[in-house]
Amino acid sequence: MDLAFIPSPSVGVVHLGPIPLRGYAFCIIIGVFVGVWLGNKRWIQRGGRSGTVADIAVWAVPFGLVGGRLYHVITTYEPYFGENGHPIDALKVWEGGLGIWGAVALGAVGAWIGCRRRGIPLPAYADALAPGLALGQAIGRWGNWFNQELYGKPTDLPWGLEISSDPAIGRIGGTYHPTFLYESLWCIGVAALVIWADRRFRLGHGRAFALYVAAYCAGRAWIEYMRVDEAHHILGLRLNVWTALIVFVLAVVYFVVSAKRVPGREEVVEPGALEERAEREAAEGGADAAGTDGERGKVSVEKAGEKPAAEKDGAQDSAEPEPAEAEQPAKTAQAEEPAEDAPAAAKDAADTADATDAKPAGSGSNKKS
């Protein structure tokens, strides 16, 4: 008895009144948001403006969806344009069927248009977005789980994926390799690898994106080999395996040639962004300094009525002069007293002289004969 630790959902869509809520679409949308969020953080770290990644994604995402759908329809045309096919079903993206190869290729065209309008080099933008793309793919792959599609060969492993039977589309129930889970985990590892390598070696000029492409293709080749869904074969290998091998070689060649021609990393990724950031930081620093000065002024006003302890001690010392300074005024006062009494002494001496001159001659003897 097979024990499936990963049961598939019984339905992939829930109706909210007349509005269908599809798990596949939710996974794609969440993956896009996570990819843009991480890409924005990396773009700011590289010296770009916040919001630039989202502005360019407005061009890249629609192009990517169209490219992904075109690749799927072209490489799997039988259900749409083959015998008893339904061409209108080619437009039903919500039912699944997006080829990552076409999504990245045509999405790059949309990104190029957005970058050109903003005056931004496409390789620098691709480098910032690369890990986010890998994480977005990791989340988007869970949409295949909701649709019970793109699983691998039968297995009795404990992490096997239980698939329900559906005679209408020829699906046979059983336990299969969860290739969607393998690819999701591989993409998480690719994102971690690109982030580490970018920090360690300062990858630039599109080399971080090339590393993402090469690493993803390496994993996709062996995961694709495990799948059992219908696909075109060339020389005994599935078409997507050949695509992965060719794209892997191209990514490695670009990485090597780019490292020789333009080593290092771009100093400026968005014109004017560094200047604006410097001005903003200077303005914020000035506001902080003004706030600090205001607090200091407030403290000074509160303490204006209070004299410092050293100043108080100085006032007390000046009120009590030292002995030498106190004796000097006293001596000066004593020196000035004779000068003030001199006129009176001179007057007394003059009066005595006048009295002597007024006595008759010989009147000075008092003897009796």
Side-chain angles (χ1 to χ4, degrees):
M1 178 179 179
D2 295 333
L3 180 61
F5 283 87
I6 307 176
S8 292
S10 57
V11 293
V13 57
V14 177
H15 289 83
L16 186 62
I19 303 175
L21 304 178
R22 300 182 181 276
Y24 184 88
F26 269 111
C27 291
I28 298 296
I29 293 172
I30 294 172
V32 169
F33 273 102
V34 170
V36 171
W37 168 79
L38 181 57
N40 183 67
K41 291 190 63 176
R42 287 174 49 81
W43 184 250
I44 294 173
Q45 292 172 356
R46 291 285 300 273
R49 295 187 181 95
S50 176
T52 298
V53 170
D55 293 342
I56 298 176
V58 172
W59 289 89
V61 171
F63 274 74
L65 290 175
V66 173
R69 189 60 176 177
L70 283 175
Y71 181 88
H72 169 75
V73 172
I74 291 173
T75 57
T76 315
Y77 62 88
E78 291 85 359
Y80 312 108
F81 304 104
E83 186 178 356
N84 300 323
H86 300 84
I88 193 64
D89 290 346
L91 303 176
K92 297 179 180 179
V93 181
W94 55 87
E95 292 184 354
L98 291 175
I100 186 61
W101 317 109
V104 172
L106 206 56
V109 175
W112 175 80
I113 295 174
C115 288
R116 187 176 178 82
R117 290 168 60 89
R118 298 292 293 265
I120 293 171
L122 178 61
Y125 179 82
D127 284 342
L129 200 62
L133 284 174
L135 282 182
Q137 289 177 245
I139 297 172
R141 270 305 175 193
W142 284 84
N144 303 132
W145 176 67
F146 281 100
N147 287 350
Q148 297 195 48
E149 60 184 1
L150 307 186
Y151 44 87
K153 299 175 181 178
T155 181
D156 57 357
L157 293 172
W159 56 82
L161 176 66
E162 184 181 29
I163 298 296
S164 60
S165 61
D166 188 349
I169 58 176
R171 189 171 66 199
I172 301 174
T175 305
Y176 300 87
H177 277 284
T179 52
F180 85 91
L181 179 60
Y182 298 160
E183 186 168 340
S184 179
L185 295 176
W186 183 266
C187 287
I188 294 174
V190 170
L193 172 65
V194 174
I195 292 174
W196 171 81
D198 193 28
R199 291 178 178 176
R200 176 66 177 81
F201 303 104
R202 292 181 57 82
L203 302 176
H205 301 282
R207 288 188 288 276
F209 183 80
L211 177 62
Y212 146 72
V213 173
Y216 172 75
C217 290
R220 179 63 185 266
W222 66 267
I223 293 172
E224 184 75 21
Y225 186 76
M226 298 176 64
R227 285 168 47 173
V228 294
D229 53 300
E230 293 294 329
H232 294 284
H233 288 71
I234 300 176
L235 300 177
L237 292 178
R238 293 166 64 95
L239 175 61
N240 283 336
V241 174
W242 282 108
T243 304
L245 294 175
I246 294 171
V247 175
F248 172 83
V249 172
L250 293 176
V252 172
V253 170
Y254 176 87
F255 189 98
V256 174
V257 173
S258 173
K260 292 182 178 180
R261 293 186 60 185
V262 282
R265 175 187 287 181
E266 301 92 339
E267 295 296 333
V268 178
V269 297
E270 187 168 4
L274 294 177
E275 290 78 1
E276 290 182 5
R277 182 181 301 180
E279 293 176 358
R280 184 170 61 253
E281 291 176 354
E284 293 174 354
D288 294 341
T292 303
D293 292 341
E295 291 295 329
R296 291 176 179 173
K298 182 178 179 182
V299 173
S300 300
V301 170
E302 291 176 351
K303 294 187 176 182
E306 265 183 64
K307 294 183 178 180
E311 191 175 339
K312 291 180 181 179
D313 295 342
Q316 292 175 359
D317 293 343
S318 61
E320 298 177 1
E322 295 181 1
E325 296 178 354
E327 289 175 2
Q328 186 175 358
K331 292 179 181 179
T332 305
Q334 291 176 1
E336 291 176 352
E337 285 178 2
E340 294 175 356
D341 296 341
K347 183 178 179 183
D348 292 342
D351 291 341
T352 305
D354 291 342
T356 305
D357 293 339
K359 288 182 181 181
S363 60
S365 176
N366 293 328
K367 283 185 179 182
K368 295 180 177 181
S369 43

